[in-house]
């Protein structure tokens, strides 16, 4: 399959970029200020700066404001504000529902399991994309095998310690080898802003599937649509497929 998605699922009215947590509001504002400043510095309209690609500009930008710009850079998305910070002592991941042993994992428990590192392109449904981004952590399938999944189970419900965001995958999607419970992003521990210390990373799907601040993995008998899915996004979010299916070719 091609790396570049041919068709983006159309976002619902009031796309994610417009939603209103306080940090997002501030960042969008800062991003606009930075964009304006760079537009002036480059002596061209804002669109030119974006079209040329922010990468080059970003490397030279001493203000750091270009971290907030669209282009081949990350943007921070959150539907909440004031998400608590968790660390080695406070972080817990609970896996429960239709499992043999409900289990709580600390960061050290996750670190003790086999680690997988992937370098793939990140693609947000609103259009921005970050090529070749390393993520590492434990395969979700490994965790599911560790706790033992009921033969009647069909899906996974993910919850987050921001208290608001949720996500879902079918069990078959969840067992895809490129679905990680990630503790590392860009070869560093996942930062708080990016959903650390632990976020989900669903490499073959749009980035909204990659729940930040992951706190719960609940095995269920049916798909329960997640936060953006209740607002119109597809549950099947394979990048590059107009209607993803579980039997879609992988990677
Ligand atoms: N808990 C939580 N996870 C989330 C989101 C969110 O708002 N809250 N946004 C999703 C969306 S739409 C995207 S594009 C990515 C953004 O990840 P980033 O902030 O690390 O760039 O996180 C996804 N996971
Ligand atoms: Mo997104």
């Amino acid at each position: 399959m091609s790396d570049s998605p041919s068709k983006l699922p159309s976002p619902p009215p009031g796309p994610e970029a417009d939603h209103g947590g306080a940090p997002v509001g501030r960042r969008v504002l800062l991003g606009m200020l930075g964009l304006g400043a760079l537009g002036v510095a480059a002596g061209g309209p804002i669109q030119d700066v974006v079209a040329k690609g922010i990468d080059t500009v970003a490397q030279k930008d001493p203000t750091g404001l270009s971290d907030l710009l669209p282009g081949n850079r990350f943007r921070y998305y959150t539907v909440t504000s004031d998400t608590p910070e968790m660390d080695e002592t406070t972080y817990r991941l609970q896996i429960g529902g239709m499992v043999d042993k409900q289990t709580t994992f600390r960061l050290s428990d996750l670190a003790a399991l086999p680690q997988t590192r992937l370098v793939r392109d990140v693609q947000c449904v609103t259009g921005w994309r970050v090529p070749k981004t390393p993520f590492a952590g434990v395969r979700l399938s490994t965790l599911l095998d560790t706790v033992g999944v009921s033969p009647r189970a069909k899906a996974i419900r993910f919850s987050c310690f921001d208290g608001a965001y949720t996500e879902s995958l079918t069990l078959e999607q969840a067992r895809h080898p490129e679905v990680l419970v990630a503790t590392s992003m860009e070869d560093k521990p996942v930062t708080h802003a990016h959903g650390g210390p632990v976020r989900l990373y669903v490499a073959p799907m749009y980035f909204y599937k990659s729940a930040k601040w992951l706190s719960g993995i609940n095995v269920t008998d049916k798909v329960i649509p997640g936060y953006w899915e209740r607002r119109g996004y597809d549950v099947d979010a394979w990048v590059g497929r107009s209607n993803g299916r579980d039997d879609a070719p992988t990677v």
Side-chain angles (χ1 to χ4, degrees):
M1 66 183 259
S2 156
D3 257 10
S4 19
S6 47
K7 180 164 169 258
L8 299 178
S10 30
E16 58 189 69
D18 290 344
H19 63 68
V24 171
R26 270 201 305 278
R27 285 184 190 285
V28 167
L29 178 60
L30 282 170
M32 288 166 68
L33 290 171
L35 196 59
L38 286 168
V40 169
I46 286 166
Q47 290 83 343
D48 280 356
V49 179
V50 175
K52 277 185 215 135
I54 290 302
D55 252 352
T56 15
V57 180
Q59 278 151 23
K60 291 178 195 139
D61 175 24
T63 66
L65 277 174
S66 49
D67 277 348
L68 307 168
L69 298 179
N72 291 342
R73 306 282 304 185
F74 274 98
R75 298 165 76 173
Y76 299 114
Y77 273 15
T78 175
V79 297
T80 54
S81 53
D82 303 324
T83 299
E85 302 215 11
M86 299 282 180
D87 59 20
E88 306 73 37
T89 51
T90 52
Y91 180 77
R92 301 285 187 282
L93 173 62
Q94 285 199 295
I95 308 191
M98 299 171 73
V99 298
D100 299 336
K101 314 172 279 245
Q102 183 165 319
T103 310
T104 301
F105 294 83
R106 293 166 171 255
L107 281 178
S108 54
D109 300 320
L110 294 175
L113 290 164
Q115 304 292 306
T116 298
R117 180 175 178 273
L118 302 172
V119 182
R120 300 286 180 265
D121 297 350
V122 160
Q123 176 75 58
C124 171
V125 81
T126 54
W128 57 275
R129 134 182 247 246
V130 187
K132 297 190 173 46
T133 306
F135 281 86
V138 181
R139 282 198 174 112
L140 180 55
S141 64
T142 303
L143 288 171
L144 294 175
D145 291 345
T146 306
V147 299
V149 169
S150 156
R152 290 171 297 109
K154 291 283 188 304
I156 312 281
R157 163 106 168 143
F158 301 93
S159 47
C160 305
F161 60 83
D162 63 10
Y165 204 75
T166 52
E167 251 309 331
S168 65
L169 288 173
T170 67
L171 194 52
E172 193 179 351
Q173 293 166 348
R175 290 194 184 281
H176 188 290
E178 299 207 346
V179 177
L180 305 182
V181 169
T183 47
S184 151
M185 178 174 171
E186 299 180 302
D187 292 320
K188 299 177 306 243
V190 181
T191 61
H192 178 68
H194 279 305
V198 178
R199 77 179 295 169
L200 189 67
Y201 178 53
V202 184
M205 293 193 176
Y206 285 100
F207 208 28
Y208 66 86
K209 300 301 284 192
S210 295
K212 298 161 70 166
W213 306 296
L214 185 64
S215 59
I217 296 177
N218 209 44
V219 181
T220 57
D221 60 358
K222 61 172 191 306
V223 168
I224 303 167
Y227 183 93
W228 284 119
E229 293 154 7
R230 286 198 305 276
R231 290 158 177 81
Y233 283 18
D234 284 343
V235 170
D236 291 320
W238 303 101
V239 174
R241 308 199 162 262
S242 50
N243 61 340
R245 288 286 180 272
D246 289 352
D247 59 356
T250 56
V251 197

